[in-house]
Amino acid sequence: MKKLVCLVLAIVMTLALVTCASAEFQFERKITIVCPWGVGGGADSTIRPMATLLQDILGVPVEVQNVEGASGVNGVEYTYKQPADGYTFMLGTQSLFMQDMSGTTSMDFKTEFQPIDVLVHSINIIAASKVNMDKYGVTNWEELQAYIDAHPYEVSVGMLTATGVDGASLAQATEGLMLLETPYSGGSEVNSAMMGGHCDLAITGTDEIAGLIESGDIIPILALCENRMSVYPDMQCTGELGIDSYMGPWRALFVKTGTPQEAIDAMVAAIEEARQSETWQTFIHNAAYDERTVPAAGEELETFVEEEWKALRDYMNEQGVLVKDYDELK
């Protein structure tokens, strides 16, 4: 009899454990997504439509809280002070990796935060002055490379900062080319310089410069991606030319290390459901974010992120601006 009772109890306990393990995690109160940049910017404009979709899917309020300043570091510091209970997430980009390695964060960002899902991965392009390309007799990147080789330090490239993701991707794409680097204070300044023929090249995102391309004042000359972009099919890409430069800005949801895995899994599942909506599909198409796939959550994302860390670490080391290093990245 005792054996029978024990057997029944064991079965009941096993079924209870299976039921608990298979039960779907449910958020019970408001979720906050911290955006470390200002209202109306590219990051903010990406997370807000996603937050609306997540709210409908999860059935609880999903609030975007902008904590801007210090190139994203203020938002990181704010998020770091919140409990890792599954109700605070943060939008982030690989630019935060560079801020960490610049020594501007109070914690080791690499170990204290983790990305859980990439929302968009945009494509950087090298844009060129139409008037100057006509003057040089250049119509594509291969012709421009030949011109630069024949005229060292004649072709100028506008530089906003050497320690940003754009600077890193530009360095990869133009390695070995003798370009004249010219500093500018902002994107609008360098765009104006290209339109007027005072600067030849600049690196930018297609969503930031589409109007000037449409007007014909600036031409897209090289896409830093695996395949040609459907919106600019005549523009060559690094993939077809064998240039090892594919880095482009991406935006992902991050959490503090220690956040319950079931909360992470529930959020990732909701994001994946939101991706399929017509609202999201329209948004990413209009911004040309659908030109490149994003790494799948899990192992593929972990590998992708580690490669980004290493590439940015090496670039910062070459530039002499690496302050905080990680042994596993050397």
Side-chain angles (χ1 to χ4, degrees), residues 189-202:
E189 185 181 351
V190 70
N191 291 343
S192 296
M194 283 197 293
M195 291 170 62
H198 307 298
C199 180
D200 294 302
L201 307 172

Side-chain angles (χ1 to χ4, degrees), residues 3-224:
K3 288 183 178 180
L4 180 59
V5 172
C6 289
L7 178 60
V8 171
L9 286 173
I11 293 173
V12 170
M13 290 176 67
T14 300
L15 289 174
L17 288 172
V18 170
T19 301
C20 289
S22 61
E24 186 177 341
F25 177 85
Q26 295 289 331
F27 290 101
E28 298 177 344
R29 54 185 171 84
K30 181 184 73 175
I31 297 167
T32 298
I33 300 177
V34 177
C35 178
W37 298 278
V39 175
D44 182 74
S45 299
T46 298
I47 193 56
R48 287 192 179 273
M50 175 56 73
T52 299
L53 293 168
L54 292 175
Q55 183 166 285
D56 293 339
I57 293 168
L58 296 173
V60 296
V62 178
E63 177 185 84
V64 176
Q65 183 173 350
N66 298 85
V67 183
E68 58 186 298
S71 299
V73 174
N74 286 354
V76 172
E77 297 291 350
Y78 174 84
T79 307
Y80 186 59
K81 294 175 182 176
Q82 309 309 308
D85 57 4
Y87 286 89
T88 301
F89 296 80
M90 182 186 74
L91 186 70
T93 75
Q94 72 266 56
S95 65
L96 298 179
F97 299 177
M98 302 183 82
Q99 290 296 328
D100 176 60
M101 290 186 286
S102 297
T104 56
T105 59
S106 66
M107 81 300 294
D108 287 340
F109 186 82
K110 190 175 189 299
T111 56
E112 296 296 337
F113 284 86
Q114 66 177 95
I116 62 170
D117 211 349
V118 174
L119 304 182
V120 296
H121 188 187
S122 59
I123 295 172
N124 267 342
I125 68 167
I126 295 180
S129 164
K130 176 66 166 60
V131 63
N132 284 357
M133 294 306 104
D134 288 345
K135 181 173 69 175
Y136 301 152
V138 166
T139 61
N140 61 40
W141 183 254
E142 286 181 299
E143 292 175 355
L144 181 58
Q145 283 182 303
Y147 185 90
I148 294 170
D149 289 340
H151 304 81
Y153 300 110
E154 178 184 323
V155 176
S156 61
V157 56
M159 294 293 296
L160 302 184
T161 172
T163 57
V165 174
D166 289 352
S169 57
L170 178 67
Q172 289 179 334
T174 61
E175 184 177 4
L177 295 180
M178 292 172 283
L179 292 166
L180 176 63
E181 296 184 357
T182 306
Y184 288 91
S185 60
S188 58
E189 185 181 351
V190 70
N191 291 343
S192 296
M194 283 197 293
M195 291 170 62
H198 307 298
C199 180
D200 294 302
L201 307 172
I203 190 161
T204 183
T206 55
D207 53 336
E208 301 171 26
I209 206 169
L212 294 175
I213 293 174
E214 187 176 346
S215 69
D217 295 306
I218 291 176
I219 60 173
I221 198 163
L222 182 68
L224 279 54

Side-chain angles (χ1 to χ4, degrees), residues 216-245:
D217 295 306
I218 291 176
I219 60 173
I221 198 163
L222 182 68
L224 279 54
C225 57
E226 298 77 5
N227 303 295
R228 290 198 181 195
M229 299 180 69
S230 63
V231 289
Y232 302 117
D234 296 330
M235 175 172 52
Q236 293 180 312
C237 68
T238 53
E240 69 182 288
L241 299 177
I243 300 171
D244 188 16
S245 178

